[in-house]
Amino acid sequence: MSNDNNQKLFQEACQIIPGGVNSPVRAFGSVGGTPRFISRAEGCRIFDTEGQEYIDFVGSWGPMILGHAHPPILDAIARTLKNGTSFGAPTAAETELASLIIEMVPSAQMVRLVSSGTEATMSALRLARGITGRDLCIKFEGCYHGHGDSFLVAAGSGAATHGHPSSPGVPASTADLTAVIPYNDVEAVRTLMAANGDQVAAIIVEPIAGNMGCVLPVPGFLEQLRELCTQHGSLLIFDEVMTGFRVHAGGAQSLLGIDPDLTTLGKIVGGGMPMGVICGSREVMENFSPTGSVYQAGTLSGNPLSVAAGIALLTELRDRADEIYPALEAKGQQLQEGWQQALDRHGIAHCWNRAGSMFGLFFTEGPVNNFSDASGADEQLFRRFFHGMLAAGVAIAPSPYEAGFLSMAHSAQDIDHSTTVIENLSL
Ligand code: HOZ
């Protein structure tokens, strides 16, 4: 199969875009080779500029829960587009989307819309610092909360993929305000809070981690974070950019029954258009300017096209939740069983973590409960697996430090086909 056009486009891009990409993990840095340049996507398939099609288990890194180019979302964007692309002024649709979020996400009483998950987490931490008058933040190794300075310390996702989990350019004085603890290590949090709890503005956590592969919280971990935050007057921030509306219609907090003080959302909430959200209790959220004094702003915040796409997607997820989430779980089970059996036949050690349609496959015996476990997996094998799948028309994320995603558009046949591809790989 020709890859000439992708190679030509990548070379051209590399001349004028750092690494040829606008987000590092897309560059195939850890797996080698040439990124596919995508011309279109539909359902569970993406198509590259060579005309080659792939069953897609990346789903634009999460938003495509109902599939690519989902007609109700395209229609909503097309209808809205006729009226203009940005007003920099309030719209009725923003309030409609905020109401939907409040209806679906248990801890949300008020909502602010921004343009990306990174903006949401940065603003959530500023809000926590403003409210508490404290500076310290606790994050977990391998969790990724966007590329704000405070979070590029022992970060997952592309930062881990490219070997810079703590980025140059982040002033030491900022990095020093972020304490890093292994995911699922509640004793370490307890010790740190006992010593410095009165200085901790917030604990931020992916309630189900998706940026070191998929890693699930061990029983009691999140409950104890909740308890420690309450006890020490710190705010608990759930970064649900990946898990929001993905693992349950109400996000991980609904699935796991824990209310954070603040939640950040992204990806699904914008229906595949740029969108981030900070939400929480009225008491907390009213500290944002202009009702409060914590400043936060954006010309494109509440962009009408993103809002229209978000309303279309969330409305469908809410109205069809009883059908969609069990169906996604069934697809996840089928995928897991099929891939596990195929890898067993190859005699390959592997470990699987999954929350419904969000999954992580690690080439190690496991268990994988934190970043150190995840980074112990066989990277060479991952590379061979990745390229074997891609060559056979199955796209997974080009990094072991990313989660995989299924959508409602993946049929049983698509999933079976991906299993057959694994059976036929030479690993
Ligand atoms: N950090 C994103 C996934 N966890 C990657 C986004 C992208 O490259 O589009």
Side-chain angles (χ1 to χ4, degrees):
M1 164 200 331
S2 162
N3 202 19
D4 296 351
N5 206 35
N6 288 320
Q7 275 164 1
K8 181 173 158 286
L9 290 169
F10 190 43
Q11 277 160 13
E12 281 170 14
C14 285
Q15 300 305 311
I16 51 175
I17 298 174
V21 292
N22 286 308
S23 189
V25 77
R26 301 176 191 177
F28 278 26
S30 72
V31 290
T34 306
R36 301 311 189 248
F37 278 61
I38 303 305
S39 51
R40 70 183 186 90
E42 193 180 339
C44 72
R45 287 181 165 70
I46 51 172
F47 300 82
D48 73 9
T49 53
E50 312 276 358
Q52 176 66 32
E53 70 179 69
Y54 305 86
I55 299 178
D56 178 26
F57 291 107
V58 183
S60 188
W61 310 91
M64 301 302 162
I65 189 165
L66 297 184
H68 289 281
H70 186 56
I73 296 179
L74 298 189
D75 290 348
I77 295 171
R79 273 197 312 273
T80 310
L81 185 60
K82 288 189 210 125
N83 297 326
T85 55
S86 177
F87 315 128
T91 64
E94 288 172 292
T95 313
E96 191 183 339
L97 179 60
S99 303
L100 263 172
I101 295 167
I102 290 165
E103 190 184 334
M104 294 171 80
V105 179
S107 67
Q109 291 177 345
M110 291 193 103
V111 170
R112 172 144 294 173
L113 307 182
V114 294
S115 297
S116 70
T118 290
E119 251 189 272
T121 52
M122 275 167 33
S123 304
L125 180 57
R126 184 179 308 133
L127 187 60
R129 285 176 165 155
I131 291 171
T132 58
R134 305 169 179 178
D135 288 340
L136 291 186
C137 137
I138 296 180
K139 80 173 280 286
F140 296 91
E141 187 183 16
C143 282
Y144 178 75
H145 305 292
H147 58 93
D149 281 358
S150 300
F151 305 123
L152 283 183
V153 184
S157 187
T161 305
H162 291 272
H164 304 295
S166 302
S167 175
V170 175
S173 55
T174 301
D176 287 349
L177 298 176
T178 303
V180 179
I181 286 177
Y183 195 75
N184 277 325
D185 187 346
V186 80
E187 273 321 305
V189 185
R190 200 186 297 287
T191 305
L192 206 149
M193 290 297 270
N196 298 305
D198 61 346
Q199 296 164 53
V200 173
I203 299 181
I204 185 165
V205 66
E206 294 180 71
I208 295 169
N211 287 288
M212 47 178 146
C214 177
V215 176
L216 308 178
V218 296
F221 174 59
L222 298 171
E223 288 80 352
Q224 298 199 43
L225 295 187
R226 175 65 279 173
E227 215 175 286
L228 285 164
C229 280
T230 305
Q231 193 183 327
H232 291 273
S234 312
L235 270 62
L236 179 62
I237 305 174
F238 272 9
D239 180 346
E240 295 227 45
V241 166
M242 272 193 185
T243 54
F245 315 104
R246 163 63 66 179
V247 297
H248 185 282
Q253 59 196 264
S254 265
L255 186 73
L256 304 169
I258 300 161
D259 274 359
D261 299 298
L262 278 169
T263 300
T264 56
L265 300 164
K267 301 193 191 274
I268 288 176
V269 77
M273 297 286 288
M275 165 88 73
V277 167
I278 311 122
C279 54
S281 69
R282 177 175 302 281
E283 192 192 346
V284 167
M285 291 292 291
E286 280 191 335
N287 288 282
F288 267 139
S289 183
T291 39
S293 50
V294 177
Y295 201 70
Q296 193 290 318
T299 297
L300 292 171
S301 294
N303 175 266
L305 301 180
S306 301
V307 168
I311 292 173
L313 182 49
L314 293 201
T315 303
E316 190 164 348
L317 292 175
R318 179 198 60 187
D319 294 350
R320 295 179 52 212
D322 290 349
E323 168 207 345
I324 287 174
Y325 292 95
L328 288 171
E329 169 59 26
K331 289 173 196 290
Q333 264 177 33
Q334 187 197 344
L335 186 85
Q336 178 171 355
E337 282 166 19
W339 287 24
Q340 278 177 335
Q341 281 167 16
L343 289 166
D344 283 344
R345 272 186 220 129
H346 283 286
I348 284 172
H350 59 97
C351 160
W352 191 278
N353 289 335
R354 183 173 65 80
S357 58
M358 174 172 168
F359 62 90
L361 166 65
F362 304 89
F363 291 117
T364 173
E365 291 288 350
V368 174
N369 287 325
N370 55 37
F371 184 72
S372 158
D373 296 339
S375 57
D378 187 334
E379 286 186 12
Q380 298 293 339
L381 182 53
F382 178 82
R383 265 174 226 158
R384 293 199 296 280
F385 181 76
F386 171 83
H387 279 295
M389 297 286 270
L390 196 66
V394 179
I396 61 168
S399 163
Y401 299 121
E402 298 290 348
F405 297 101
L406 278 153
S407 74
M408 285 296 282
H410 288 86
S411 68
Q413 289 76 12
D414 295 321
I415 295 170
D416 276 346
H417 177 72
S418 69
T419 298
T420 308
V421 166
I422 299 177
E423 281 166 359
N424 294 330
L425 289 179
S426 317
L427 291 168

